[in-house]
Amino acid sequence: MPRDEAISIATDFASNGRFLADLTRRVAIATESQNPERRPECYRYLQEIEAGFAGLGFASEIIENPDPTGGPLLIARRQEGDDLPTLLIYGHGDVVAGMEGRWANERDPWHVSVEGERIYGRGTADNKGQHTIVMLALEAVLQTRGHLGFNTVALIETSEETGSAGLREVCLAHREKLSADWLIASDGPRLAMERPTLDGGTRGTVDFDLVCDLRAGAHHSGNWGGLIANPAAILANAIASLISHTGRIHVRGILPAEIPPSVRTALSRIDLKAEKDGPALDPWWGEPGLSQPERVFGWNALEVLAMTAGTPEQPINAIPPRASARLQIRYTVDTDPATFIPAIRAHLDAHGFENVTIVPMAQESDWGATRLDPEHPLMRWAAASVEKTTGQAPTILPNAGGSLPNDCFADVLGMPTIWVPHSYSGCSQHAPDEHLLQPLVSEGLAIMAGLFWDLGTPGGPDRNFTTTKR
């Protein structure tokens, strides 16, 4: 069957050296977006990707970022017919710092090395390896039937690791060029390594500091202890008023009213388990009455990321003048982030913490929460395609627990979105020894080739979908 032939060609790329050759060239380009001196490398990377797309019949252009802190972007398009549907694909070519000298076995982060099933190198998992899989799957379909059966727009940015600066503005300014019926993209890890995952969206994030600043300097704890207030103790109690010792959030105004029935049904099919080398799960932590999948994919989380008072590295016998903590809310589409800070302010005031200040943080990204209903026709279609390819039903997440710039596509461009990750939670992305697993590369190539084959086959997904937005 032609579909099987396309999948065979795609999986052969994982074993005949083609995938590794493409990935090796791309990992060698040190696209550290946090380092302004690496900006020329971001242009060089887009030129490499532009050449790859040219071989697939795409016309490309490199777009300057309207935000001076962001790197360039690439928009590429393959037009097969004005009457055909259009698919948008996305990837990011930038990476976090290479962390040279900290990788095991003297590995070079800018050189792909293969050890057993692991393919090491900065960007192998996040995200160069994943959009290389997408590109090769398109190539496999083209080799098999000579055309895709749909139009394709590709958007590759180089600022995702610093918050996708300028991406929203580019989507607004180039809305016509980026207009599509659906987005299918690859980033992030699977929920479980052994089963494919389909993510319909992501949670959003809001960061803020709580600060208790009482006086100009520290004072001797022997002379003043019991006479002057301790800001660290006040702050600890303020945080305890927000969230209990078992993780229940007391500020009910920042929480969803409910989990939608279709989301609850999808999450009921998930059995969360600790991954190898990952932390053990704490079933007693979080919102009472919710399952663990509901707590991370269907609910909001309030986390304490850091706390400081005095000099922790060298404590002295003094009451500190100031204490601060960085907190974060991960939220779903069911809540409005504009209400979070006022709700927390009202809660602190009601509990006697008027001397604790809230300092909203400028977000590293302005990625908002998005979700595709698990019963959405596109999700059902994609799940059927993946099951046909792999022989097992994928895990369906209405939204992932983490964040991506998906709101640019779901909200700004107004299209249904599905993310098909090809990595796993132990891949060490953002750390030394980042790697991609060869079996997941092979299966990822098969999955994407199957999806693209089915997308261009009569009877594919309806073009008149609507997406679920806040």
Side-chain angles (χ1 to χ4, degrees):
M1 294 177 60
R3 186 183 193 274
D4 294 338
E5 182 182 348
I7 290 173
S8 178
I9 291 172
T11 55
D12 281 349
F13 289 144
S15 58
N16 65 14
R18 173 62 189 283
F19 173 79
L20 283 176
D22 287 0
L23 184 61
T24 296
R25 291 195 312 274
R26 292 163 187 173
V27 167
I29 304 173
T31 50
E32 297 170 310
S33 53
Q34 303 96 329
N35 183 355
E37 295 181 2
R38 297 290 201 186
R39 183 65 57 80
E41 295 294 275
C42 292
Y43 284 94
R44 191 158 74 91
Y45 188 82
L46 294 186
Q47 291 166 358
E48 152 69 23
I49 296 298
E50 184 176 30
F53 276 125
L56 301 178
F58 284 70
S60 303
E61 59 179 322
I62 294 177
I63 304 293
E64 293 296 332
N65 199 312
D67 189 319
T69 67
L73 306 93
L74 175 75
I75 297 177
R77 186 177 187 96
R78 177 186 168 92
Q79 184 74 11
E80 293 193 358
D82 293 343
D83 59 335
L84 293 176
T86 301
L87 171 70
L88 176 64
I89 59 178
Y90 161 88
H92 66 90
D94 63 314
V95 297
V96 298
M99 304 179 187
E100 295 91 333
R102 295 170 55 187
W103 293 51
N105 300 329
E106 299 182 346
R107 297 185 188 107
D108 180 351
W110 312 117
H111 176 75
V112 167
S113 58
V114 181
E115 300 174 28
E117 293 185 339
R118 294 187 173 193
I119 304 170
Y120 288 97
R122 177 60 81 220
T124 52
D126 187 22
N127 173 251
K128 295 177 179 181
Q130 300 215 39
H131 60 255
T132 295
I133 288 172
V134 171
M135 293 174 70
L136 288 174
L138 290 170
E139 181 174 334
V141 173
L142 284 169
Q143 284 190 27
T144 304
R145 65 181 172 201
H147 64 280
L148 295 174
F150 52 89
N151 305 314
T152 311
V153 181
L155 174 62
I156 308 293
E157 66 158 317
T158 59
S159 306
E160 193 269 354
E161 299 295 2
T162 53
S164 294
L167 180 61
R168 179 177 289 267
E169 290 78 9
V170 166
C171 287
L172 287 168
H174 298 274
R175 182 191 297 272
E176 185 173 346
K177 294 177 183 177
L178 297 171
S179 176
D181 296 283
W182 328 278
L183 172 107
I184 299 178
S186 297
D187 201 349
R190 293 178 168 191
L191 181 63
M193 184 172 61
E194 67 277 2
R195 183 179 292 273
T197 298
L198 297 177
D199 296 326
T202 60
R203 289 196 295 183
T205 59
V206 169
D207 290 8
F208 60 95
D209 282 354
L210 294 182
V211 179
C212 185
D213 192 349
L214 299 185
R215 57 188 69 90
H219 294 271
H220 193 282
S221 58
N223 296 333
W224 297 97
L227 297 177
I228 61 175
N230 188 311
I234 292 172
L235 184 62
N237 280 275
I239 293 172
S241 81
L242 300 178
I243 184 168
S244 78
H245 68 289
T246 60
R248 181 182 188 272
I249 298 172
H250 295 310
V251 192
R252 307 308 284 178
I254 68 171
L255 298 176
E258 62 179 358
I259 298 176
S262 60
V263 174
R264 190 180 291 272
T265 298
L267 297 180
S268 70
R269 303 186 182 110
I270 297 173
D271 181 20
L272 279 183
K273 297 179 180 178
E275 293 283 328
K276 182 181 178 182
D277 301 325
L281 304 182
D282 295 317
W284 51 269
W285 181 263
E287 180 67 19
L290 298 185
S291 68
Q292 289 188 308
E294 288 170 345
R295 289 169 182 170
V296 69
F297 302 119
W299 205 246
N300 291 3
L302 175 62
E303 302 293 347
V304 181
L305 304 183
M307 296 177 65
T308 57
T311 52
E313 67 280 6
Q314 190 176 7
I316 59 174
N317 292 323
I319 299 168
R322 184 180 189 275
S324 65
R326 174 68 50 85
L327 280 75
Q328 181 182 80
I329 300 172
R330 294 268 182 178
Y331 66 93
T332 70
V333 296
D334 309 300
T335 47
D336 181 358
T339 66
F340 293 164
I341 298 303
I344 292 171
R345 179 71 272 163
H347 177 93
L348 291 174
D349 290 347
H351 288 78
F353 296 108
E354 294 89 349
N355 52 4
V356 173
T357 302
I358 304 174
V359 183
M361 291 293 100
Q363 301 304 115
E364 183 180 89
S365 71
D366 59 357
W367 303 338
T370 58
R371 174 190 290 152
L372 189 70
D373 191 294
E375 295 301 319
H376 192 283
L378 180 64
M379 183 64 81
R380 294 201 305 267
W381 169 86
S385 174
V386 172
E387 185 170 4
K388 183 176 181 181
T389 299
T390 65
Q392 62 175 333
T395 298
I396 296 176
L397 295 180
N399 52 262
S403 299
L404 283 167
N406 193 51
D407 60 331
C408 291
F409 315 121
D411 294 348
V412 176
L413 297 177
M415 65 186 69
T417 61
I418 287 181
W419 295 79
V420 192
H422 306 304
S423 186
Y424 78 115
S425 60
C427 69
S428 298
Q429 69 182 81
H430 294 195
D433 302 317
E434 179 182 348
H435 61 276
L436 199 58
L437 294 179
Q438 292 199 74
L440 295 190
V441 171
S442 182
E443 188 171 60
L445 286 163
I447 288 170
M448 300 311 294
L451 282 166
F452 296 149
W453 183 272
D454 294 342
L455 198 64
T457 301
D462 189 346
R463 300 172 63 176
N464 298 314
F465 295 158
T466 57
T467 184
T468 300
K469 311 177 198 176
R470 186 174 54 253

